[in-house]
Amino acid sequence: MQADVKSDAPGAVATGLTLAELPFGFEAVLDRLDLPEDVARRLMELGFVPGHAVAAAHSAPGGDPRVFRVDGSEIALRRETAARIHVRTSPRP
Amino acid sequence: MSDQGCCSPATTIAPEPRPPGKLARAHSIAIVGPPNSGKSTLFNQLTGLRQKVGNYPGVTVEQRVGKMRLAHNKEIDLIDLPGVYSLEPRSEDEQVTRDVLLGEMKDVPRPDGVILILDSTNLGRHLLLAAPVLSLGLPTLVVLNMADSLRERGGQVDTTALARQLGTPVALVSAAKSEGLEPVMEFLTGQFGVPAPVELPVINDIPKCREWATHIGSRAAYRAPSPPLWTRRLDKLFLHPVAGPVIFAMVVIAVFQVIFTGAVPLMDGVEWMVNRSGEWVAGVLPESPVRDLLVEGVWGGVGAVIVFLPQILLLFLFIGILEDSGYMARAALIADRTMSKAGLQGKSFIPLLSAYACAVSAIMATRTIENRRDRIATILIAPFMTCSARLPVYTLIIAAFIPERPLLGHFLGTRTAAMMGLYLLGFLAAVATARVLKSSVLKTERTPFLLEMPPYRRPTLRSLALRLYDRAKIFVRRAGTVILATAIILWLLAHLPLVDGGAPPIEGSVAGTIGRAVEPVIEPLGFNWKIGIGLITSLAAREVIVGTLGTIYGIESGDETSVGLQQALHKDITIGGAVALLVFFAFAMQCMSTVAIVRRETGGWKWPLLQFAYMGTLAYTGAFLANLIVTAIVS
Ligand SMILES: Nc1nc2c(ncn2[C@@H]2O[C@H](COP(=O)(O)OP(=O)(O)OP(=O)(O)O)[C@@H](O)[C@H]2O)c(=O)[nH]1
Ligand SMILES: [Mg+2]
């Protein structure tokens, strides 16, 4: 996890992160889904479309799986899947 | 379908113009929409049927056709379908929807119109589905559901503008509150046309489709509602790392305590009625074989099972709250860790939870599991979960053999703890079996766990009451058919062949002979021939054993009718045999409906036979060991 995150939730985080590293309460912008095509497709159907905002919400006890707020829904993902979803701070110009 | 997106350009095909007044009448309309958008709720409102509704994705897993009466004695078929995110299926329930829509489903004619139902509180994402559905070119009504929540949370949408954008009528409704359904009726009665040609995005390009949805939404002045506050508050509690599990454990204990202890007065009430009416029948009828058949067979057998109705209803009340509130999806989230140790994923937990009601519906519910091997593994372990038919058996034996003592004050007693132990035993057998299967014959790559968390909703009294009513009807019907029939046949077999014109002693009857024939096999488990007969009859359905024992002990005790079933059982078998019987019922697959559904859903006899043999072996071995150990401890 990037160490320069100090602001309170909801805040922005540094670039080069994956969803798995996004701390509870923080928001970022989806960048790239590094997953098999069919899984990526379903994730996009569920709202994980590059360019959209995503926020980390509650998780199961132990931190995995975690619920993400994306495009008006809450979707639970395991860490192994979240780790293949790249996020950044600001929308691409 | 899958390559339609890449080669179809951006427009729907314009319909062949037909002269007005000669438009074909619709005969069947499919209800399509994303999971949990309220399709079944609308279907129920329109047809008056009671499709299962629940607040989690994946409740409906197969098509259901219902007739709806329209004015002038006309009828139309409505088809309720499983929820889909797109027309690219990833699981068997989604495949059903695709097949029905394209007319590829056996025995279901292709629908000639579509009601596309979307959640108005999440229109941006839900509109994604409009693109592929509209490009089917069928007459379509777009229903924006959950108008009540949209209003409450301050959202807005202009349906006229949206209709213009989509080229097809749009209605804003609340299916649950039966609000705004007039346009739906109009659509169904009217002679509707095919959607006007509008620009649709290339279906396979989801980011493009999503952009299109946003664009259309803003043209329709869509204002998304504020986030569901209560859902956030409740999740803060239920998904709290410490408080969450503690609350969960307390709720589970409380539920067991209520089902087991709280149900007792109600069950006593039913028992009192059964006994009084039985005595009344015995009193008014002249002494005759018919009277004995009624008193010992029907009242003794069916009555013994009917007593458990209040308990079963309480169980279903809790299951109803679990399913209607939205906690189900959270439970799956929390269980994912445990399930992943067994090689499965959290989604498998939802069918397993339904298996606490009945394995048959649980096995149907596994259709939502994307991976076929994961699905088969879940089917194979589902019957280990303690279904409601086991409840009467467990309750009877526990009440007969385990004295009630407080363990945690009034909060938890010995009998409740024993009951929880049995539920746990079944669950552990399921997990262990899954683990073995998933590391051998059903091995797969790890499959991703993706689950939508619905907002919490308050379960309505009406919905809970209807669930209980339907459940009571099923229970009484079963008592009036399977259980009644076995009771009568058993009574006859227990009185034949006639010796000197009278009934033989029960050991010498046909039933007794059958029982004594199996006795050597089950003796090592601590069971006698009467239990043997019960094991045979319980192949029809587990709770039949309670009725069977009721009949046999009734015949044995002769005239003193109301020797309680518990006392009779207590006298008849040892504590070792009793524990063995509990273990046997926890593991054995004594349910022919389950065998039949497994055959249907796995497409052959291989898995159900394997499962039957495996569970039977485990039951026999487990019961043998239980009898051995308990007997050794007691003596
Ligand atoms: N507030 C509100 N809730 C609704 C409305 N319509 C349905 N619901 C609730 O939404 C949940 C889902 O309803 P279902 O009818 O089971 O949804 P479905 O689309 O059939 O779901 P699947 O079969 O899982 O695809 C249930 O808890 C309903 O009570 C509505 O108009 N307003
Ligand atoms: Mg449904």
Side-chain angles (χ1 to χ4, degrees):
Chain A
M1 191 187 304
Q2 243 68 3
D4 54 337
V5 183
K6 295 217 177 64
S7 61
D8 260 323
V13 264
T15 48
L17 287 182
T18 68
L19 263 192
E21 297 155 316
L22 194 65
F24 172 80
F26 283 81
E27 196 177 283
V29 174
L30 287 159
D31 191 25
R32 192 160 50 83
L33 310 182
D34 183 15
L35 284 156
E37 205 192 311
D38 62 319
V39 181
R41 196 191 150 91
R42 176 47 51 92
L43 278 168
M44 286 197 279
E45 288 168 0
L46 288 167
F48 291 88
V49 178
H52 278 241
V54 59
H58 299 279
S59 68
D64 189 28
R66 182 174 291 285
V67 178
F68 294 95
R69 295 197 182 117
V70 61
D71 204 0
S73 331
E74 302 204 333
I75 313 286
L77 301 179
R78 276 185 185 165
R79 190 191 301 276
E80 62 203 39
T81 310
R84 317 265 306 259
I85 301 179
H86 299 268
V87 293
R88 60 195 152 79
T89 43
S90 57
R92 201 169 269 159
Chain B
M1 190 63 228
S2 60
D3 50 10
Q4 185 179 347
C6 57
C7 31
S8 84
T11 333
T12 45
I13 307 101
E16 299 244 316
R18 267 179 267 185
K22 292 203 91 185
L23 286 180
R25 279 210 67 83
H27 299 292
S28 74
I29 304 276
I31 303 182
V32 189
N36 214 35
S37 57
K39 297 174 295 297
S40 304
T41 309
L42 182 71
F43 176 86
N44 289 350
Q45 289 284 0
L46 296 175
T47 59
L49 294 173
R50 300 231 196 89
Q51 265 286 69
K52 182 169 173 191
V53 164
N55 188 20
Y56 58 95
V59 179
T60 308
V61 293
E62 60 180 342
Q63 80 279 6
R64 166 92 187 267
V65 182
K67 292 218 177 300
M68 179 184 169
R69 299 208 144 277
L70 300 172
H72 311 299
N73 265 341
K74 288 190 186 104
E75 270 187 348
I76 194 166
D77 279 342
L78 287 180
I79 313 174
D80 186 22
L81 291 172
V84 289
Y85 294 105
S86 65
L87 296 186
E88 302 280 331
R90 272 175 63 83
S91 53
E92 292 190 34
D93 57 328
E94 298 175 349
Q95 182 76 38
V96 168
T97 299
R98 194 206 83 108
D99 287 352
V100 169
L101 282 179
L102 299 185
E104 287 170 16
M105 175 64 78
K106 230 179 78 196
D107 302 327
V108 184
R110 186 171 187 202
D112 32 29
V114 171
I115 291 180
L116 172 64
I117 177 161
L118 309 174
D119 181 349
S120 65
T121 63
N122 192 4
L123 200 55
R125 179 160 78 73
H126 276 212
L127 266 175
L128 268 185
L129 187 60
V133 170
L134 285 175
S135 58
L136 292 172
L138 294 170
T140 304
L141 171 72
V142 177
V143 168
L144 309 181
N145 193 24
M146 321 265 177
D148 51 323
S149 306
L150 183 72
R151 205 179 325 122
E152 231 164 76
R153 286 163 41 197
Q156 247 174 13
V157 62
D158 177 351
T159 49
T160 325
L162 189 60
R164 212 163 33 237
Q165 293 296 315
L166 294 173
T168 203
V170 175
L172 181 63
V173 314
S174 168
K177 306 228 147 107
S178 191
E179 266 175 37
L181 294 182
E182 301 78 22
V184 182
M185 306 303 270
E186 235 162 73
F187 174 77
L188 293 172
T189 41
Q191 302 186 317
F192 46 76
V194 181
V198 289
E199 283 284 310
L200 290 177
V202 174
I203 294 162
N204 260 357
D205 189 342
I206 298 174
K208 273 271 153 48
C209 283
R210 188 59 191 82
E211 253 172 57
W212 169 80
T214 307
H215 173 72
I216 300 249
S218 66
R219 285 291 192 86
Y222 178 61
R223 192 170 79 215
S226 57
L229 266 189
W230 271 105
T231 296
R232 303 231 161 142
R233 285 187 194 139
L234 288 174
D235 270 344
K236 213 175 202 168
L237 196 63
F238 290 143
L239 297 179
H240 188 277
V242 182
V246 172
I247 294 176
F248 176 81
M250 279 170 44
V251 169
V252 169
I253 293 179
V255 165
F256 275 102
Q257 188 75 5
V258 168
I259 289 178
F260 200 74
T261 317
V264 169
L266 292 168
M267 290 167 65
D268 285 347
V270 178
E271 189 171 12
W272 184 86
M273 285 192 282
V274 169
N275 286 345
R276 283 299 95 79
S277 57
E279 281 166 18
W280 180 81
V281 170
V284 292
L285 290 181
E287 197 159 317
S288 65
V290 176
R291 190 192 78 163
D292 290 350
L293 170 66
L294 281 177
V295 173
E296 297 163 0
V298 178
W299 258 261
V302 179
V305 181
I306 284 285
V307 168
F308 291 92
L309 179 62
Q311 195 177 35
I312 303 255
L313 290 186
L314 274 176
L315 173 72
F316 276 91
L317 178 67
F318 287 116
I319 293 179
I321 294 173
L322 183 70
E323 291 186 338
D324 282 358
S325 62
Y327 188 74
M328 195 83 162
R330 275 78 183 176
L333 175 76
I334 295 170
D336 180 66
R337 265 275 192 86
T338 313
M339 299 306 290
S340 91
K341 290 203 184 98
L344 292 169
Q345 52 138 310
K347 241 186 181 172
S348 290
F349 195 64
I350 293 178
L352 292 184
L353 276 180
S354 345
Y356 282 126
C358 170
V360 173
S361 52
I363 285 162
M364 290 295 297
T366 60
R367 286 185 175 197
T368 57
I369 298 168
E370 290 100 352
N371 183 291
R372 182 165 163 85
R373 291 183 157 203
D374 279 4
R375 182 173 177 223
I376 291 190
T378 312
I379 288 176
L380 294 180
I381 64 173
F384 278 120
M385 308 302 278
T386 305
C387 67
S388 60
R390 285 185 177 104
L391 196 55
V393 186
Y394 287 178
T395 306
L396 172 67
I397 300 172
I398 288 177
F401 285 91
I402 297 183
E404 177 70 356
R405 297 265 148 55
L407 283 180
L408 290 176
H410 282 303
F411 196 56
L412 179 66
T414 37
R415 288 179 174 174
T416 307
M419 183 68 93
M420 287 174 71
L422 287 166
Y423 274 71
L424 190 65
L425 183 67
F427 183 71
L428 291 180
V431 169
T433 304
R435 198 171 169 154
V436 172
L437 289 169
K438 287 294 297 173
S439 55
S440 56
V441 281
L442 293 173
K443 201 167 184 157
T444 50
E445 304 273 289
R446 276 166 77 81
T447 45
F449 166 67
L450 316 173
L451 188 66
E452 193 174 347
M453 301 283 124
Y456 288 103
R457 294 186 208 282
R458 189 197 302 269
T460 63
L461 271 183
R462 189 188 133 79
S463 132
L464 293 177
L466 284 178
R467 274 168 185 271
L468 295 195
Y469 174 75
D470 288 343
R471 192 37 65 170
K473 244 174 42 184
I474 293 175
F475 186 83
V476 171
R477 188 179 313 139
R478 239 161 101 136
T481 51
V482 182
I483 297 171
L484 179 65
T486 41
I488 292 177
I489 294 171
L490 179 69
W491 189 89
L492 290 175
L493 292 184
H495 285 80
L496 294 174
L498 294 181
V499 180
D500 305 327
I506 187 162
E507 289 84 354
S509 68
V510 179
T513 312
I514 296 173
R516 280 184 301 133
V518 295
E519 198 169 24
V521 183
I522 55 173
E523 212 180 345
L525 314 185
F527 305 162
N528 58 28
W529 62 269
K530 291 169 231 167
I531 304 288
I533 296 175
L535 291 182
I536 294 170
T537 56
S538 68
L539 282 174
R542 291 185 176 90
E543 70 270 35
V544 172
I545 191 175
V546 174
T548 298
L549 292 177
T551 305
I552 296 178
Y553 293 142
I555 296 170
E556 270 193 337
S557 72
D559 271 348
E560 352 143 28
T561 26
S562 54
V563 174
L565 188 47
Q566 284 174 27
Q567 291 93 301
L569 186 65
H570 192 93
K571 265 194 269 167
D572 200 40
I573 54 175
T574 62
I575 174 85
V579 175
L581 194 55
L582 288 171
V583 172
F584 192 90
F585 268 83
F587 291 155
M589 189 183 184
Q590 296 144 293
C591 176
M592 286 306 134
S593 330
T594 307
V595 175
I597 199 84
V598 173
R599 195 202 71 85
R600 197 183 96 182
E601 292 295 305
T602 59
W605 279 110
K606 174 175 130 191
W607 292 114
L609 290 181
L610 193 87
Q611 185 178 23
F612 189 82
Y614 167 69
M615 293 182 74
T617 313
L618 200 62
Y620 191 90
T621 320
F624 175 77
L625 291 177
N627 182 33
L628 204 69
I629 294 167
V630 173
T631 310
I633 293 173
V634 173
S635 60

